[in-house]
Amino acid sequence: MQDCQISPALECKENMAHAETGPVRVQRQRNRKLEDTAKALETENTDPMSTPDPMEDIKGPEKPARALDNQEGKEEEEEREEIQADAPAVADTTDVSFSIFAEKNDHQSTSEVRTEQAGEEVRGEECKLDREKAGFIRGKDLFGYVGIEAVLDQMRRKTMKAGFEFNIMVVGQSGLGKSTLVNTLFKSKVSRKSCTPNYEEKISKTVKLQSVSHVIEEKGVKMKLTVIDTPGFGDQINNENCWEPIMKYVNDQYEKYLMEELHVSRKRRIPDSRVHCCIYFLPATGHWLRPIDVEFMKRLGKIVSIVPVIAKADTLTIEERLEFKKRIRHDLVANGIRVYPQKEYDEDEEDRMLNDRIRESIPFAVVGTDKEHQVNGNKVLGRKTKWGIIEVENVAHCEFVNLRDLLIRSHLQDLKDLTHNIHYETYRVQRLNESNMNANGLALPVHPLENGSCDNSESESHL
């Protein structure tokens, strides 16, 4: 039994010594060595001077059968045969187990590194395949500096030379502060009149649109701003179809731009007089939308981008303002009124998140003024009352800053793109379809759309 305990230990040491290699070939060589050792032990036991080993039958070949005179000898012979039959299996199992253990220890330190390297190789191959499919070459793959990024500087210089155009329309009843709000937006006297009390110009109460254009420059950037005012809207006793002059004006600008495009020798830069945004003023009643508000926004929302605002929001308390805004949003959804920004025109996830925050604030509760006051040693735009000064640019007082950011700082170009790609394209397709139906040869007669008109000089155009 002592030799039986020693031999597995020797085998374990030998296996641990050769386990670092790992391959199956080394394992087979180790098995052959075990067989040679067993044969050598058998030869030593056959020597008459050596002491016979009672357990040598475990690894050696079979010995000659001995005569057994009694039943005990037969039982010993059977046990010896069972041990001899099981010995090779035990040796192989031990060998395999120790080889697996050694392989695990050998590769444990490098498994994570190999996994990371394999992952990087896979990602690198996927990126390489994507670039090959799309024909995409990164900057580090180029042999040197090409100068592609200079295109942005070229576009910037060219755009600054040409300048920008932005046309904004304000619609609402008289006395809601339309002109004052526009002056506050651009911090200059850009509207048709000032809010100062000594201004002598008298404004007609008929729905006759008036437009005033100014060139505003800030830090070298020039923008031609056109403000279209609608005096007299909703001031009459009978306001039936009072929105028709406004819709006619919007369609006239689309028609004017379309005629310039259809000329054979057209201008290199077509003057853009299309309305890019319409600010609709709601009186701070604290109730629901009036029928005239619903009817106007429902009709005009199909041809221009509408941004509703609550005028003179300082006349409402905070609780009244929140409840009024909630009711207005409910009315907009119930009547299918489309206001800017529309959900279907969100281009990506980032735009959707930004526009969702804007949609939660619509309609904006605003306060407008062009007067400055001293507050804690600083000049601020505000309205002075007996109880204090309402700061226009303070978010805690009103939402004028949110409206300005939407119209000028974040969505001005998007408003222009939406006007050209959606509203104008819809008008152009409809007009051309009508013209093709009534076309006679190459003549293209002009038939204005509903609520649209055109000048007599533009009554006929030839392609």
Side-chain angles (χ1 to χ4, degrees):
M1 295 300 293
Q2 185 175 1
D3 294 337
C4 182
Q5 294 176 357
I6 292 173
S7 353
L10 292 174
E11 293 175 4
C12 292
K13 290 181 179 179
E14 186 177 358
N15 291 336
M16 291 296 294
H18 294 279
E20 296 178 357
T21 58
V24 181
R25 180 176 57 82
V26 177
Q27 182 178 349
R28 292 178 179 174
Q29 292 178 358
R30 207 161 43 240
N31 293 336
R32 294 195 192 97
K33 289 182 180 180
L34 290 174
E35 293 177 358
D36 296 338
T37 304
K39 291 180 181 179
L41 290 174
E42 182 183 358
T43 305
E44 292 177 0
N45 291 334
T46 55
D47 189 3
M49 297 301 293
S50 62
T51 303
D53 187 2
M55 297 301 296
E56 65 180 356
D57 294 334
I58 295 176
K59 293 184 179 180
E62 286 189 3
K63 288 185 177 182
R66 293 181 297 174
L68 298 177
D69 298 332
N70 50 21
Q71 186 66 25
E72 294 178 359
K74 292 181 180 180
E75 291 177 358
E76 291 179 359
E77 185 68 15
E78 291 177 358
E79 290 177 1
R80 203 162 35 247
E81 290 176 358
E82 290 176 0
I83 292 173
Q84 184 177 359
D86 296 335
V90 173
D92 294 339
T93 305
T94 305
D95 190 0
V96 173
S97 63
F98 273 99
S99 63
I100 294 173
F101 177 77
E103 289 176 1
K104 288 183 178 180
N105 291 335
D106 182 59
H107 296 287
Q108 184 176 4
S109 60
T110 59
S111 60
E112 296 180 358
V113 177
R114 290 182 179 178
T115 303
E116 293 178 359
Q117 292 177 353
E120 291 178 358
E121 290 178 358
V122 171
R123 287 192 295 270
E125 291 295 332
E126 291 178 354
C127 295
K128 186 176 180 180
L129 291 174
D130 293 340
R131 289 197 299 268
E132 290 177 355
K133 289 180 180 179
F136 180 75
I137 302 175
R138 292 186 178 274
K140 63 181 181 180
D141 298 332
L142 300 175
F143 296 107
Y145 178 74
V146 178
I148 300 175
E149 62 179 2
V151 176
L152 296 177
D153 296 333
Q154 299 173 29
M155 295 174 63
R156 184 175 181 271
R157 288 195 301 268
K158 203 166 187 179
T159 306
M160 289 182 65
K161 288 181 181 179
F164 298 91
E165 293 177 338
F166 188 61
N167 307 319
I168 185 171
M169 175 184 285
V170 289
V171 180
Q173 287 182 343
S174 300
L176 293 181
K178 300 187 296 296
S179 303
T180 304
L181 182 66
V182 174
N183 293 337
T184 310
L185 278 173
F186 299 96
K187 293 185 178 181
S188 58
K189 301 293 190 293
V190 296
S191 184
R192 58 188 172 85
K193 77 179 188 71
S194 174
C195 63
T196 53
N198 56 356
Y199 197 80
E200 297 180 356
E201 180 184 355
K202 295 185 178 181
I203 305 167
S204 61
K205 296 298 180 181
T206 59
V207 186
K208 183 179 180 182
L209 278 72
Q210 302 176 359
S211 62
V212 179
S213 298
H214 299 274
V215 177
I216 303 175
E217 183 176 356
E218 184 181 23
K219 294 183 179 180
V221 180
K222 296 180 180 180
M223 182 177 70
K224 182 182 178 182
L225 175 67
T226 302
V227 180
I228 303 101
D229 199 355
T230 58
F233 174 79
D235 292 341
Q236 287 77 22
I237 297 177
N238 182 10
N239 291 313
E240 185 179 0
N241 299 328
C242 63
W243 50 80
E244 287 187 355
I246 299 174
M247 297 186 68
K248 177 178 178 296
Y249 178 86
V250 174
N251 287 326
D252 284 349
Q253 308 313 310
Y254 290 152
E255 183 72 22
K256 193 174 182 181
Y257 195 90
L258 177 61
M259 291 298 103
E260 291 290 341
E261 281 191 337
L262 293 178
H263 288 164
V264 176
S265 57
R266 58 186 179 184
K267 299 177 181 178
R268 184 177 180 182
R269 181 182 176 89
I270 301 176
D272 190 3
S273 60
R274 298 169 296 182
V275 179
H276 299 133
C277 179
C278 174
I279 303 178
Y280 189 80
F281 286 73
L282 299 170
T285 59
H287 301 294
W288 307 89
L289 287 178
R290 300 173 303 170
I292 187 175
D293 300 329
V294 173
E295 197 66 28
F296 176 84
M297 288 193 288
K298 185 185 295 186
R299 292 173 180 268
L300 203 68
K302 300 177 182 179
I303 61 175
V304 72
S305 299
I306 295 180
V307 178
V309 299
I310 301 174
K312 295 186 176 180
D314 54 330
T315 59
L316 298 173
T317 63
I318 301 299
E319 292 78 11
E320 291 173 347
R321 182 189 302 177
L322 294 176
E323 185 64 24
F324 190 35
K325 292 176 67 172
K326 184 178 178 181
R327 291 177 179 178
I328 291 175
R329 285 196 293 267
H330 179 270
D331 287 347
L332 293 176
V333 175
N335 293 280
I337 299 174
R338 298 160 53 89
V339 297
Y340 182 84
Q342 294 91 338
K343 290 184 178 181
E344 57 268 24
Y345 301 140
D346 296 342
E347 296 182 356
D348 51 26
E349 186 67 19
E350 183 179 357
D351 290 347
R352 185 186 65 80
M353 294 176 62
L354 175 61
N355 293 337
D356 283 343
R357 290 195 297 268
I358 296 174
R359 283 186 280 264
E360 291 175 358
S361 301
I362 287 178
F364 297 104
V366 298
V367 177
T369 184
D370 58 356
K371 293 182 179 180
E372 293 183 346
H373 300 277
Q374 290 284 342
V375 177
N376 297 328
N378 299 322
K379 287 186 177 182
V380 297
L381 290 172
R383 293 171 60 90
K384 188 176 181 180
T385 64
K386 293 181 180 181
W387 304 275
I389 296 176
I390 302 170
E391 300 178 22
V392 172
E393 296 179 331
N394 191 339
V395 182
H397 293 182
C398 69
E399 297 175 341
F400 170 80
V401 175
N402 298 335
L403 176 65
R404 183 182 61 190
D405 292 345
L406 172 68
L407 296 178
I408 301 174
R409 300 185 180 181
S410 63
H411 287 70
L412 187 146
Q413 187 60 41
D414 187 67
L415 284 166
K416 297 180 64 176
D417 293 340
L418 184 64
T419 301
H420 180 78
N421 299 326
I422 303 298
H423 299 303
Y424 171 70
E425 282 297 315
T426 303
Y427 179 88
R428 187 183 69 87
V429 170
Q430 188 174 356
R431 279 290 291 111
L432 293 180
N433 287 336
E434 287 185 358
S435 299
N436 290 334
M437 292 175 60
N438 301 324
N440 183 10
L442 293 178
L444 185 62
V446 175
H447 298 282
L449 289 173
E450 182 182 0
N451 300 325
S453 66
C454 59
D455 297 334
N456 294 331
S457 59
E458 297 174 352
S459 60
E460 192 172 285
S461 176
H462 299 279
L463 291 175

